[in-house]
Amino acid sequence: MHAHPDDETIATGALIAELAARGIRVSLLTATRGEQGEVVSGPLSVLEGTDALTHERERELAGAASALGIGSADRFWLGMPPARGAGLSPRVYRDSGMTWIRPGLAGPADDIDDDALVRAPLGEVTADVAAVIEELRPALVISYDNGGGYGHPDHVRMHEAALAASRAVGVAFAEVVHQPGAGTEWFTLDRHLAVVTAALRCHASQLTVDGTHIVHSGGQREPISTAVGLRALSR
Ligand SMILES: [Zn+2]
């Protein structure tokens, strides 16, 4: 369960590829379409701030998920059935945006859309997440840790909703961690580097790939990660 297109690949791409390679069905819930994210300068930069960007990011996500081994019937948008609480009209949750508090730690944006994920009541978001869990009945729900990986408000909100919904439905929950540690099952998945790289390249409006590094639209570089941990939280 992720907040924006590209998170599935950056944070958990190798894990998804590994699960798919083991024949385990993986479903992906994405909360927003990353509307607030910057656009890589170049031919796609005309899309910044337009509805066309939304569609482009949906298209990019479809490509990346497919590359990682997630079938088109296993991709879901928060707010759209079956990821919508009973009796509620479908809705779109928009990207809440972020600002950098310091390198590596994000905080709330100055200007937050009324339809943003963080403006929605947690109960509504949780009901939507619970609805898709009820529908799919997975063995395990995976989402961010309580810091959202790097503090993005949408990631934190997805952690809260995914954990609460998993507990409500009675499904095991594990958070993604990026350092080995106590209580963490650590996966070293270098063999999926090529698949993760191919999936990353699908997110061309958000990032570019330079060898074994991701270059974000704002210029920040990070190594492509193929090692990831899962830490189970109690029900
Ligand atoms: Zn994100």
Side-chain angles (χ1 to χ4, degrees), residues 59-191:
R59 198 185 64 77
E60 290 174 353
L61 178 66
S66 173
L68 295 174
I70 298 173
S72 58
D74 271 315
R75 293 197 316 270
F76 304 95
W77 293 104
L78 188 70
M80 300 290 170
R84 185 61 171 155
L88 299 173
S89 303
R91 65 157 291 174
V92 166
Y93 291 96
R94 290 176 63 88
D95 185 345
S96 308
M98 53 148 271
T99 51
W100 289 110
I101 294 172
R102 56 176 165 76
L105 183 66
D110 300 327
D111 183 19
I112 302 175
D113 195 290
D114 287 343
D115 292 329
L117 179 62
V118 297
R119 287 246 196 267
L122 179 57
E124 180 183 355
V125 180
T126 301
D128 290 356
V129 175
V132 75
I133 295 173
E134 288 271 16
E135 173 83 10
L136 298 171
R137 284 276 161 184
L140 179 66
V141 170
I142 299 172
S143 192
Y144 311 99
D145 65 9
N146 61 6
Y150 64 95
H152 194 299
D154 287 333
H155 292 213
V156 174
R157 179 46 55 113
M158 281 307 283
H159 163 85
E160 294 166 345
L163 178 59
S166 300
R167 286 178 171 161
V169 180
V171 172
F173 178 91
E175 58 185 18
V176 174
V177 295
H178 299 286
Q179 303 280 341
T184 297
E185 185 172 357
W186 189 250
F187 301 86
T188 303
L189 302 167
D190 303 344
R191 60 190 170 279

Side-chain angles (χ1 to χ4, degrees), residues 6 10 40 200-201 203-209 214-217:
D6 87 4
I10 294 173
V40 170
L200 285 168
R201 289 189 194 282
H203 289 294
S205 75
Q206 303 217 63
L207 56 87
T208 51
V209 175
I214 298 165
V215 185
H216 293 275
S217 49

Side-chain angles (χ1 to χ4, degrees), residues 30-87:
T30 307
T32 80
R33 290 149 187 81
E35 298 94 337
Q36 296 297 323
E38 295 171 342
V39 179
V40 170
S41 61
L44 295 174
S45 44
V46 294
L47 298 177
E48 189 149 346
T50 71
D51 287 344
L53 179 63
T54 304
H55 297 301
E56 179 64 12
R57 292 203 163 151
E58 290 177 350
R59 198 185 64 77
E60 290 174 353
L61 178 66
S66 173
L68 295 174
I70 298 173
S72 58
D74 271 315
R75 293 197 316 270
F76 304 95
W77 293 104
L78 188 70
M80 300 290 170
R84 185 61 171 155

